[in-house]
Each structure stands twice: as structure tokens, then as C-alpha cells.
């Protein structure tokens, strides 16, 4: 099986819809946040991704690029790479957010997707990549550590949630 990160396009749209609806049915929080954007209209979805990549974004946001992790026929995961950090992202969001569809978890895909995303981040000129996860997300912590994550100070948000922070050298 060949896995690759692809920029979202119409050729993968039905596979993306399958990914989206599976996640939606799980009732889990959609991570990264871009998963929930315009799932019923491919043109709006692609325009949204293009706007965010080019920096046509709300004030206080940063440009970002989204990729889909695909095999020969399926969208397995989504990764979102922020081009630089603002104060919020430095505390709790990091450079990279990623998620694997529920039926494909625990198969090593997240580790591969983060590895591929780190290469994309390096192409964007990011020399040190911040990746974060909620303290209770043990699987994500393992993925980050497998990709060379070095623990930084944790961040505690206003609700008392602990966010683990890790730096990964390019």
C-alpha cells in the first residue's frame, strides 16, 4: 500500500466524503479543525483551503496548508500545517494538527502522516516544529515521540485541560 499526502482536489472528493461522514457518525471532535469545513460542497471546500494557504484569512489567524493522507482509493487522514505560530498556537495549537479516520486508527498511519507532514513543514521553512496533544491523548503523544518530539513545558488552558507540547527539529 502506498501512502502519500495530497493537496485536496475533486478527484479525491468522494473518498473525502466517506472519511468525513465516518468521522461525523463517530460523534468525536473533528481534529484537525479543518475537517468540518464545507463538507457538502467541494468548490467551497477547495476555495477555503486555497484562501487559508494564501493568507486570505481572518485577523489574528495564520496561513495554513491542508493535506489528505491517501492510499490507492481512500482518504485515511487529514493534516493541517500552520506556516508560523501566533501566541495561541505557541501555547496550545502548534504547527501541525492531524487526525486519522476512526476505522483506520491503531495501524501506524498517524506516525507516517506526521512524518510526511514534517517534511512539508520543512519545505515551508519551519526549522523547529511544535506539535501538541491533549494530556489524555496517549496515542498522539506516542506518535509525536516516534517522530522525534522533545517535551516542552505543558500548557494549561482556561478550562484546566493540560496540553502537552513537543518540539521536533527539521
Amino acid at each position: 500500500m502506498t501512502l502519500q499526502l495530497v493537496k485536496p482536489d475533486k478527484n479525491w472528493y468522494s473518498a473525502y466524503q466517506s472519511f468525513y461522514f465516518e468521522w461525523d457518525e463517530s460523534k468525536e471532535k473533528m481534529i484537525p479543525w479543518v475537517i468540518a469545513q464545507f463538507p457538502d460542497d467541494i468548490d467551497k471546500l477547495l476555495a477555503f483551503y486555497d484562501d487559508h494557504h494564501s493568507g486570505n484569512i481572518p485577523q489574528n489567524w495564520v496561513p495554513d496548508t491542508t493535506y489528505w493522507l491517501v492510499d490507492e482509493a481512500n482518504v485515511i487522514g487529514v493534516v493541517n500545517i500552520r506556516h508560523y505560530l501566533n501566541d495561541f498556537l505557541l501555547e496550545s495549537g502548534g504547527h501541525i494538527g492531524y487526525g486519522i479516520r476512526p476505522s483506520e486508527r491503531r495501524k501506524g498511519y498517524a506516525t507516517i502522516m506526521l512524518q510526511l507532514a514534517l517534511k512539508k513543514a520543512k519545505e515551508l521553512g519551519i526549522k523547529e516544529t511544535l506539535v501538541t496533544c491533549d494530556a489524555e491523548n496517549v496515542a498522539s503523544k506516542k506518535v509525536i515521540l516516534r517522530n522525534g518530539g522533545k517535551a516542552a513545558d505543558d500548557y494549561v488552558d482556561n478550562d484546566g485541560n493540560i496540553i502537552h507540547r513537543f518540539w521536533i527539529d527539521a
Side-chain angles (χ1 to χ4, degrees):
M1 173 184 325
T2 302
L3 295 173
Q4 60 181 328
L5 291 181
V6 298
K7 285 203 171 189
D9 69 36
K10 290 182 180 185
N11 295 327
W12 287 101
Y13 188 57
S14 64
Y16 178 77
Q17 285 181 312
S18 171
F19 166 91
Y20 172 85
F21 289 124
E22 179 182 322
W23 201 307
D24 188 51
E25 288 173 14
S26 78
K27 304 297 182 211
E28 296 176 14
K29 182 179 178 183
M30 292 186 170
I31 298 175
W33 65 276
V34 295
I35 293 172
Q37 302 302 307
F38 312 110
D40 58 341
D41 186 327
I42 184 62
D43 293 322
K44 283 185 182 178
L45 181 65
L46 296 177
F48 176 84
Y49 289 151
D50 288 343
D51 283 347
H52 276 252
H53 176 76
S54 67
N56 184 17
I57 49 179
Q59 187 174 1
N60 298 322
W61 288 49
V62 302
D64 60 79
T65 302
T66 297
Y67 295 96
W68 295 343
L69 179 71
V70 301
D71 62 13
E72 291 79 13
N74 301 298
V75 174
I76 295 170
V78 172
V79 63
N80 179 257
I81 304 169
R82 276 74 75 165
H83 299 182
Y84 56 87
L85 301 176
N86 59 19
D87 290 341
F88 171 77
L89 294 172
L90 184 60
E91 292 171 342
S92 65
H95 284 101
I96 298 175
Y98 57 90
I100 300 293
R101 70 188 304 158
S103 65
E104 297 296 338
R105 293 182 186 151
R106 305 187 70 77
K107 298 179 182 179
Y109 293 134
T111 299
I112 294 167
M113 184 165 59
L114 181 55
Q115 179 183 44
L116 295 171
L118 288 165
K119 291 178 184 177
K120 298 289 187 185
K122 187 175 183 178
E123 291 171 10
L124 288 167
I126 300 169
K127 292 182 176 36
E128 289 184 298
T129 305
L130 179 65
V131 185
T132 67
C133 66
D134 291 340
E136 70 271 3
N137 192 340
V138 175
S140 189
K141 181 178 179 179
K142 288 179 182 179
V143 165
I144 296 166
L145 291 172
R146 280 188 208 112
N147 276 283
K150 295 176 184 73
D153 293 339
D154 290 341
Y155 173 75
V156 180
D157 70 16
N158 292 335
D159 296 327
N161 299 313
I162 299 170
I163 310 296
H164 290 316
R165 301 168 64 246
F166 301 87
W167 289 99
I168 303 173
D169 293 333

